[in-house]
Each structure stands twice: as C-alpha cells, then as structure tokens.
Amino acid sequence: MIDTARKPTLILGGTGKTGRRLADRLTAQGLPVRIGSRSGTPPFDWENDATWAPALDGVGAVYISYYPDLAVPGAAEAVGAFANHAVASGVRRLVLLSGRSETEAQRAEEMLKASGADWTILRCAWFSQNFSESFLLDPLLAGEVALPVGTVGEPFVDADDIADAAVMVLTRQGHVGQLYELTGPRLLSFADAVAEIGKASGRDIRFKRISHAEFTAAVAGYELPAEFAWLLNELFTEVLDGRNEALTDGVQRVLGRAPKDFSTYATETAAMGIWSD
C-alpha cells in the first residue's frame, strides 16, 4: 500500500459510473475517500475554481473524471488548470480517466503530464454500462435502439474493470507515468450488443440504423443538457468511425486477468431486472 492511499482520495465525478464504483472499492478496503461533486462536502465544481482548494485540502491523490466527457470543448484546459493547481498545493498523485481517439481527451492527457504530476492515465473504450446506466437504457426499455452507426466494432469495456484498475494504480507501486488503454476482450457492433442484451433479458429488442440528421433530431427531443447532446453527436459522428476497432491488453497489464466480456455484463445486468419491460 502506498502512502498516498492512507490520506483521502478525492474522486472527481464520484457519483458517476466509474467514480461511484471506485469509491465503494476503496471504502471496502478501509481507505478514506472524498467525493468531488457539486453536492459533495466540500463541494467541487469544474466551473468554479474557488472550490478546488477546499476539495484538495488534505488529500493524497485524485481520480479525475470530467463530466460529461473529455471530448467537450474546454475540458482539456480545465483538467490542465486543475492539475497545475493540485501540484502547486502539494497533491502530485493524479489519475485521469481518458477516452480513446478523442482529440480533446488526448490534449487533456498532455496537459496532465505537463503539470509535473505523478500521473497515470486510464484511456477507456465505450462503457458497457452506457446500455444500463445512461442514455441507451430508455430505448432498450422501449424495444428499439436507433443510432447512426453501422457494423463498426467497439471493444466495450466494463466499468467494474475500470474501477478495479483505478484501485490498483492508486494503491500499489509501479504505475506512475503509465498509460493503460482499457478495452473489453472482443469487438461488437452496436447491433451485436443490442442482440446480446435482448438474448440475456429474454426480450425482442430491435436495432435500427438511422441517419445522422435523424439522430440529431431525436437527441434534441430527449431534453438533455446542451453539452451532453453535443457530446452524443460528437461521439457518433466522429469517434465511431472505426478508429477504435482494436483490442488492447491494458486490463491484463494492470489487473493480471482478462477483462469482463460483454456477454457476462449482459447476463449479470439482465438478472438485476434493469431491462425488464
């Protein structure tokens, strides 16, 4: 156990998919955590840097997850400014949740490195949990998922694997200065993923490929925050173009085991009744 783990770990995005899981795991090991969110104590707000110093006070390390995503314009500058602030205040151990093949995410990574922090980067593929804890849940419950994407393969990674990797790099030696690209063990198209969820949940769920214009119009009707609506369009028009059709050994390197397969995720999640209509 490294010394920084004995002080509280500040988890930015501590109520999100990976942050919540990381907080649960560290707490289960008896390690102190501090949730960095607008509703946290003390509160943390990316858009108000006056909240940063109180949130950093007394912590040993920070897990940086940017909401809604590092792909959003301005995210890289915010992460860079925060990293500089953390290092200046004596908190050098920073772990960044990053995204594969996103220009802004890669800029954020470089700004993190330039801060002088003892950094580790977890660069992740599309989360499996986007089908159960995010915007794809409602379409699945309605029985049809309509997206502007064809047969391109995505190596969906499980949020539990990401959280396990975060625990490892935060609490064990040997991970400073390392970039781990985390993917699942196989490529699936979105149609494949929907089919596996249908099979696991015992439901007839259809996948429909639509145009980008149709998708943009549909997203506008979801009443999502503007930055999240922008993000969805960015991900489906730019990032899902085949650039991520490759598997990596990041989970194996960090955890010494294979990543969780999407079918296992689908079976476990279906058993919880999340996709029951």
Side-chain angles (χ1 to χ4, degrees), residues 242-267:
R243 69 183 70 176
N244 287 329
E245 282 189 301
L247 305 176
T248 67
D249 63 353
V251 172
Q252 184 73 44
R253 284 171 58 208
V254 180
L255 299 176
R257 62 164 175 79
K260 185 190 290 188
D261 190 79
F262 190 87
S263 62
T264 303
Y265 154 77
T267 300

PDB file of all heavy atoms in Angstrom, residues 242-267:
ATOM      1  N   GLY A 242     -14.508   3.663 -36.801  1.00  0.00           N
ATOM      2  CA  GLY A 242     -13.610   2.530 -36.978  1.00  0.00           C
ATOM      3  C   GLY A 242     -12.234   2.728 -36.389  1.00  0.00           C
ATOM      4  O   GLY A 242     -11.436   1.785 -36.327  1.00  0.00           O
ATOM      5  N   ARG A 243     -11.952   3.939 -35.906  1.00  0.00           N
ATOM      6  CA  ARG A 243     -10.611   4.215 -35.386  1.00  0.00           C
ATOM      7  C   ARG A 243     -10.295   3.393 -34.126  1.00  0.00           C
ATOM      8  O   ARG A 243      -9.128   3.212 -33.780  1.00  0.00           O
ATOM      9  CB  ARG A 243     -10.457   5.712 -35.092  1.00  0.00           C
ATOM     10  CG  ARG A 243     -11.284   6.209 -33.920  1.00  0.00           C
ATOM     11  CD  ARG A 243     -11.171   7.700 -33.692  1.00  0.00           C
ATOM     12  NE  ARG A 243     -11.821   8.481 -34.736  1.00  0.00           N
ATOM     13  CZ  ARG A 243     -11.914   9.817 -34.703  1.00  0.00           C
ATOM     14  NH1 ARG A 243     -11.381  10.479 -33.701  1.00  0.00           N
ATOM     15  NH2 ARG A 243     -12.536  10.463 -35.656  1.00  0.00           N
ATOM     16  N   ASN A 244     -11.343   2.924 -33.437  1.00  0.00           N
ATOM     17  CA  ASN A 244     -11.122   2.163 -32.200  1.00  0.00           C
ATOM     18  C   ASN A 244     -11.371   0.669 -32.366  1.00  0.00           C
ATOM     19  O   ASN A 244     -11.582  -0.043 -31.387  1.00  0.00           O
ATOM     20  CB  ASN A 244     -12.024   2.710 -31.086  1.00  0.00           C
ATOM     21  CG  ASN A 244     -11.534   4.056 -30.575  1.00  0.00           C
ATOM     22  OD1 ASN A 244     -10.338   4.327 -30.575  1.00  0.00           O
ATOM     23  ND2 ASN A 244     -12.458   4.908 -30.149  1.00  0.00           N
ATOM     24  N   GLU A 245     -11.352   0.193 -33.611  1.00  0.00           N
ATOM     25  CA  GLU A 245     -11.572  -1.237 -33.841  1.00  0.00           C
ATOM     26  C   GLU A 245     -10.293  -2.032 -33.573  1.00  0.00           C
ATOM     27  O   GLU A 245      -9.737  -2.678 -34.462  1.00  0.00           O
ATOM     28  CB  GLU A 245     -12.070  -1.484 -35.273  1.00  0.00           C
ATOM     29  CG  GLU A 245     -13.541  -1.173 -35.466  1.00  0.00           C
ATOM     30  CD  GLU A 245     -14.046  -1.642 -36.819  1.00  0.00           C
ATOM     31  OE1 GLU A 245     -13.501  -1.193 -37.843  1.00  0.00           O
ATOM     32  OE2 GLU A 245     -14.988  -2.446 -36.856  1.00  0.00           O
ATOM     33  N   ALA A 246      -9.842  -1.969 -32.346  1.00  0.00           N
ATOM     34  CA  ALA A 246      -8.645  -2.706 -31.944  1.00  0.00           C
ATOM     35  C   ALA A 246      -8.736  -3.014 -30.459  1.00  0.00           C
ATOM     36  O   ALA A 246      -9.229  -2.205 -29.666  1.00  0.00           O
ATOM     37  CB  ALA A 246      -7.390  -1.886 -32.238  1.00  0.00           C
ATOM     38  N   LEU A 247      -8.275  -4.201 -30.099  1.00  0.00           N
ATOM     39  CA  LEU A 247      -8.257  -4.606 -28.694  1.00  0.00           C
ATOM     40  C   LEU A 247      -6.896  -4.282 -28.091  1.00  0.00           C
ATOM     41  O   LEU A 247      -5.887  -4.235 -28.793  1.00  0.00           O
ATOM     42  CB  LEU A 247      -8.530  -6.104 -28.567  1.00  0.00           C
ATOM     43  CG  LEU A 247      -9.813  -6.621 -29.204  1.00  0.00           C
ATOM     44  CD1 LEU A 247      -9.894  -8.139 -29.073  1.00  0.00           C
ATOM     45  CD2 LEU A 247     -11.027  -5.968 -28.574  1.00  0.00           C
ATOM     46  N   THR A 248      -6.871  -4.041 -26.784  1.00  0.00           N
ATOM     47  CA  THR A 248      -5.611  -3.790 -26.088  1.00  0.00           C
ATOM     48  C   THR A 248      -5.497  -4.721 -24.881  1.00  0.00           C
ATOM     49  O   THR A 248      -6.460  -5.380 -24.488  1.00  0.00           O
ATOM     50  CB  THR A 248      -5.537  -2.335 -25.581  1.00  0.00           C
ATOM     51  OG1 THR A 248      -6.525  -2.161 -24.547  1.00  0.00           O
ATOM     52  CG2 THR A 248      -5.800  -1.344 -26.705  1.00  0.00           C
ATOM     53  N   ASP A 249      -4.303  -4.760 -24.306  1.00  0.00           N
ATOM     54  CA  ASP A 249      -4.060  -5.634 -23.153  1.00  0.00           C
ATOM     55  C   ASP A 249      -4.008  -4.855 -21.846  1.00  0.00           C
ATOM     56  O   ASP A 249      -3.461  -5.326 -20.851  1.00  0.00           O
ATOM     57  CB  ASP A 249      -2.761  -6.410 -23.340  1.00  0.00           C
ATOM     58  CG  ASP A 249      -1.528  -5.503 -23.415  1.00  0.00           C
ATOM     59  OD1 ASP A 249      -1.697  -4.253 -23.448  1.00  0.00           O
ATOM     60  OD2 ASP A 249      -0.404  -6.025 -23.452  1.00  0.00           O
ATOM     61  N   GLY A 250      -4.606  -3.638 -21.839  1.00  0.00           N
ATOM     62  CA  GLY A 250      -4.494  -2.778 -20.655  1.00  0.00           C
ATOM     63  C   GLY A 250      -5.039  -3.394 -19.386  1.00  0.00           C
ATOM     64  O   GLY A 250      -4.411  -3.310 -18.315  1.00  0.00           O
ATOM     65  N   VAL A 251      -6.221  -4.017 -19.466  1.00  0.00           N
ATOM     66  CA  VAL A 251      -6.803  -4.638 -18.264  1.00  0.00           C
ATOM     67  C   VAL A 251      -5.896  -5.751 -17.766  1.00  0.00           C
ATOM     68  O   VAL A 251      -5.638  -5.883 -16.562  1.00  0.00           O
ATOM     69  CB  VAL A 251      -8.224  -5.159 -18.555  1.00  0.00           C
ATOM     70  CG1 VAL A 251      -8.751  -5.986 -17.377  1.00  0.00           C
ATOM     71  CG2 VAL A 251      -9.176  -4.008 -18.857  1.00  0.00           C
ATOM     72  N   GLN A 252      -5.392  -6.576 -18.677  1.00  0.00           N
ATOM     73  CA  GLN A 252      -4.484  -7.665 -18.295  1.00  0.00           C
ATOM     74  C   GLN A 252      -3.223  -7.118 -17.639  1.00  0.00           C
ATOM     75  O   GLN A 252      -2.739  -7.656 -16.630  1.00  0.00           O
ATOM     76  CB  GLN A 252      -4.118  -8.487 -19.529  1.00  0.00           C
ATOM     77  CG  GLN A 252      -3.246  -9.705 -19.253  1.00  0.00           C
ATOM     78  CD  GLN A 252      -3.991 -10.831 -18.578  1.00  0.00           C
ATOM     79  OE1 GLN A 252      -5.107 -11.154 -18.943  1.00  0.00           O
ATOM     80  NE2 GLN A 252      -3.375 -11.432 -17.565  1.00  0.00           N
ATOM     81  N   ARG A 253      -2.678  -6.032 -18.191  1.00  0.00           N
ATOM     82  CA  ARG A 253      -1.442  -5.452 -17.655  1.00  0.00           C
ATOM     83  C   ARG A 253      -1.643  -4.941 -16.230  1.00  0.00           C
ATOM     84  O   ARG A 253      -0.764  -5.107 -15.375  1.00  0.00           O
ATOM     85  CB  ARG A 253      -0.959  -4.315 -18.548  1.00  0.00           C
ATOM     86  CG  ARG A 253      -0.303  -4.765 -19.847  1.00  0.00           C
ATOM     87  CD  ARG A 253      -0.062  -3.572 -20.756  1.00  0.00           C
ATOM     88  NE  ARG A 253       0.780  -2.571 -20.102  1.00  0.00           N
ATOM     89  CZ  ARG A 253       0.728  -1.266 -20.378  1.00  0.00           C
ATOM     90  NH1 ARG A 253      -0.156  -0.797 -21.255  1.00  0.00           N
ATOM     91  NH2 ARG A 253       1.531  -0.418 -19.754  1.00  0.00           N
ATOM     92  N   VAL A 254      -2.769  -4.288 -15.978  1.00  0.00           N
ATOM     93  CA  VAL A 254      -2.992  -3.704 -14.653  1.00  0.00           C
ATOM     94  C   VAL A 254      -3.450  -4.745 -13.640  1.00  0.00           C
ATOM     95  O   VAL A 254      -2.965  -4.779 -12.504  1.00  0.00           O
ATOM     96  CB  VAL A 254      -4.046  -2.575 -14.713  1.00  0.00           C
ATOM     97  CG1 VAL A 254      -4.272  -1.983 -13.325  1.00  0.00           C
ATOM     98  CG2 VAL A 254      -3.622  -1.481 -15.669  1.00  0.00           C
ATOM     99  N   LEU A 255      -4.379  -5.596 -14.057  1.00  0.00           N
ATOM    100  CA  LEU A 255      -5.054  -6.482 -13.094  1.00  0.00           C
ATOM    101  C   LEU A 255      -4.579  -7.922 -13.143  1.00  0.00           C
ATOM    102  O   LEU A 255      -4.933  -8.713 -12.264  1.00  0.00           O
ATOM    103  CB  LEU A 255      -6.571  -6.433 -13.340  1.00  0.00           C
ATOM    104  CG  LEU A 255      -7.216  -5.053 -13.172  1.00  0.00           C
ATOM    105  CD1 LEU A 255      -8.700  -5.115 -13.537  1.00  0.00           C
ATOM    106  CD2 LEU A 255      -7.044  -4.550 -11.739  1.00  0.00           C
ATOM    107  N   GLY A 256      -3.810  -8.276 -14.164  1.00  0.00           N
ATOM    108  CA  GLY A 256      -3.330  -9.653 -14.252  1.00  0.00           C
ATOM    109  C   GLY A 256      -4.423 -10.653 -14.585  1.00  0.00           C
ATOM    110  O   GLY A 256      -4.313 -11.847 -14.298  1.00  0.00           O
ATOM    111  N   ARG A 257      -5.485 -10.184 -15.194  1.00  0.00           N
ATOM    112  CA  ARG A 257      -6.589 -11.061 -15.607  1.00  0.00           C
ATOM    113  C   ARG A 257      -7.240 -10.495 -16.862  1.00  0.00           C
ATOM    114  O   ARG A 257      -7.018  -9.346 -17.229  1.00  0.00           O
ATOM    115  CB  ARG A 257      -7.642 -11.181 -14.495  1.00  0.00           C
ATOM    116  CG  ARG A 257      -8.325  -9.873 -14.130  1.00  0.00           C
ATOM    117  CD  ARG A 257      -9.591 -10.110 -13.324  1.00  0.00           C
ATOM    118  NE  ARG A 257     -10.216  -8.892 -12.843  1.00  0.00           N
ATOM    119  CZ  ARG A 257     -10.980  -8.086 -13.568  1.00  0.00           C
ATOM    120  NH1 ARG A 257     -11.207  -8.358 -14.851  1.00  0.00           N
ATOM    121  NH2 ARG A 257     -11.529  -7.000 -13.038  1.00  0.00           N
ATOM    122  N   ALA A 258      -8.038 -11.334 -17.495  1.00  0.00           N
ATOM    123  CA  ALA A 258      -8.733 -10.896 -18.696  1.00  0.00           C
ATOM    124  C   ALA A 258      -9.860  -9.926 -18.336  1.00  0.00           C
ATOM    125  O   ALA A 258     -10.430 -10.005 -17.244  1.00  0.00           O
ATOM    126  CB  ALA A 258      -9.309 -12.102 -19.441  1.00  0.00           C
ATOM    127  N   PRO A 259     -10.212  -9.011 -19.243  1.00  0.00           N
ATOM    128  CA  PRO A 259     -11.351  -8.117 -18.994  1.00  0.00           C
ATOM    129  C   PRO A 259     -12.669  -8.871 -19.061  1.00  0.00           C
ATOM    130  O   PRO A 259     -12.763  -9.942 -19.673  1.00  0.00           O
ATOM    131  CB  PRO A 259     -11.245  -7.084 -20.122  1.00  0.00           C
ATOM    132  CG  PRO A 259     -10.487  -7.769 -21.212  1.00  0.00           C
ATOM    133  CD  PRO A 259      -9.545  -8.714 -20.530  1.00  0.00           C
ATOM    134  N   LYS A 260     -13.695  -8.296 -18.429  1.00  0.00           N
ATOM    135  CA  LYS A 260     -15.023  -8.916 -18.435  1.00  0.00           C
ATOM    136  C   LYS A 260     -15.624  -8.837 -19.833  1.00  0.00           C
ATOM    137  O   LYS A 260     -15.599  -7.787 -20.468  1.00  0.00           O
ATOM    138  CB  LYS A 260     -15.944  -8.218 -17.430  1.00  0.00           C
ATOM    139  CG  LYS A 260     -17.323  -8.894 -17.292  1.00  0.00           C
ATOM    140  CD  LYS A 260     -18.297  -8.051 -16.481  1.00  0.00           C
ATOM    141  CE  LYS A 260     -17.937  -7.993 -15.021  1.00  0.00           C
ATOM    142  NZ  LYS A 260     -19.024  -7.329 -14.231  1.00  0.00           N
ATOM    143  N   ASP A 261     -16.183  -9.953 -20.297  1.00  0.00           N
ATOM    144  CA  ASP A 261     -16.811  -9.986 -21.612  1.00  0.00           C
ATOM    145  C   ASP A 261     -18.180  -9.318 -21.566  1.00  0.00           C
ATOM    146  O   ASP A 261     -18.869  -9.331 -20.540  1.00  0.00           O
ATOM    147  CB  ASP A 261     -16.958 -11.430 -22.087  1.00  0.00           C
ATOM    148  CG  ASP A 261     -17.379 -11.507 -23.543  1.00  0.00           C
ATOM    149  OD1 ASP A 261     -16.501 -11.339 -24.412  1.00  0.00           O
ATOM    150  OD2 ASP A 261     -18.580 -11.703 -23.814  1.00  0.00           O
ATOM    151  N   PHE A 262     -18.588  -8.749 -22.711  1.00  0.00           N
ATOM    152  CA  PHE A 262     -19.883  -8.075 -22.773  1.00  0.00           C
ATOM    153  C   PHE A 262     -21.031  -9.022 -22.450  1.00  0.00           C
ATOM    154  O   PHE A 262     -22.023  -8.619 -21.826  1.00  0.00           O
ATOM    155  CB  PHE A 262     -20.095  -7.454 -24.160  1.00  0.00           C
ATOM    156  CG  PHE A 262     -21.296  -6.552 -24.231  1.00  0.00           C
ATOM    157  CD1 PHE A 262     -21.196  -5.214 -23.884  1.00  0.00           C
ATOM    158  CD2 PHE A 262     -22.533  -7.039 -24.630  1.00  0.00           C
ATOM    159  CE1 PHE A 262     -22.305  -4.373 -23.932  1.00  0.00           C
ATOM    160  CE2 PHE A 262     -23.649  -6.203 -24.685  1.00  0.00           C
ATOM    161  CZ  PHE A 262     -23.538  -4.871 -24.332  1.00  0.00           C
ATOM    162  N   SER A 263     -20.916 -10.277 -22.847  1.00  0.00           N
ATOM    163  CA  SER A 263     -21.996 -11.234 -22.572  1.00  0.00           C
ATOM    164  C   SER A 263     -22.165 -11.455 -21.072  1.00  0.00           C
ATOM    165  O   SER A 263     -23.289 -11.627 -20.583  1.00  0.00           O
ATOM    166  CB  SER A 263     -21.735 -12.565 -23.273  1.00  0.00           C
ATOM    167  OG  SER A 263     -20.547 -13.169 -22.810  1.00  0.00           O
ATOM    168  N   THR A 264     -21.056 -11.436 -20.334  1.00  0.00           N
ATOM    169  CA  THR A 264     -21.133 -11.560 -18.876  1.00  0.00           C
ATOM    170  C   THR A 264     -21.830 -10.350 -18.279  1.00  0.00           C
ATOM    171  O   THR A 264     -22.698 -10.474 -17.406  1.00  0.00           O
ATOM    172  CB  THR A 264     -19.721 -11.708 -18.276  1.00  0.00           C
ATOM    173  OG1 THR A 264     -19.078 -12.840 -18.855  1.00  0.00           O
ATOM    174  CG2 THR A 264     -19.783 -11.883 -16.763  1.00  0.00           C
ATOM    175  N   TYR A 265     -21.444  -9.169 -18.758  1.00  0.00           N
ATOM    176  CA  TYR A 265     -22.123  -7.939 -18.327  1.00  0.00           C
ATOM    177  C   TYR A 265     -23.616  -8.021 -18.605  1.00  0.00           C
ATOM    178  O   TYR A 265     -24.451  -7.694 -17.744  1.00  0.00           O
ATOM    179  CB  TYR A 265     -21.513  -6.729 -19.039  1.00  0.00           C
ATOM    180  CG  TYR A 265     -22.457  -5.558 -19.165  1.00  0.00           C
ATOM    181  CD1 TYR A 265     -22.726  -4.727 -18.082  1.00  0.00           C
ATOM    182  CD2 TYR A 265     -23.117  -5.312 -20.375  1.00  0.00           C
ATOM    183  CE1 TYR A 265     -23.622  -3.668 -18.201  1.00  0.00           C
ATOM    184  CE2 TYR A 265     -24.001  -4.258 -20.497  1.00  0.00           C
ATOM    185  CZ  TYR A 265     -24.257  -3.442 -19.408  1.00  0.00           C
ATOM    186  OH  TYR A 265     -25.153  -2.401 -19.518  1.00  0.00           O
ATOM    187  N   ALA A 266     -23.981  -8.454 -19.819  1.00  0.00           N
ATOM    188  CA  ALA A 266     -25.390  -8.510 -20.201  1.00  0.00           C
ATOM    189  C   ALA A 266     -26.162  -9.489 -19.317  1.00  0.00           C
ATOM    190  O   ALA A 266     -27.273  -9.181 -18.863  1.00  0.00           O
ATOM    191  CB  ALA A 266     -25.517  -8.903 -21.672  1.00  0.00           C
ATOM    192  N   THR A 267     -25.569 -10.638 -19.054  1.00  0.00           N
ATOM    193  CA  THR A 267     -26.232 -11.647 -18.222  1.00  0.00           C
ATOM    194  C   THR A 267     -26.422 -11.149 -16.792  1.00  0.00           C
ATOM    195  O   THR A 267     -27.513 -11.273 -16.218  1.00  0.00           O
ATOM    196  CB  THR A 267     -25.420 -12.954 -18.217  1.00  0.00           C
ATOM    197  OG1 THR A 267     -25.305 -13.441 -19.563  1.00  0.00           O
ATOM    198  CG2 THR A 267     -26.089 -14.013 -17.354  1.00  0.00           C
TER     199      THR A 267
END
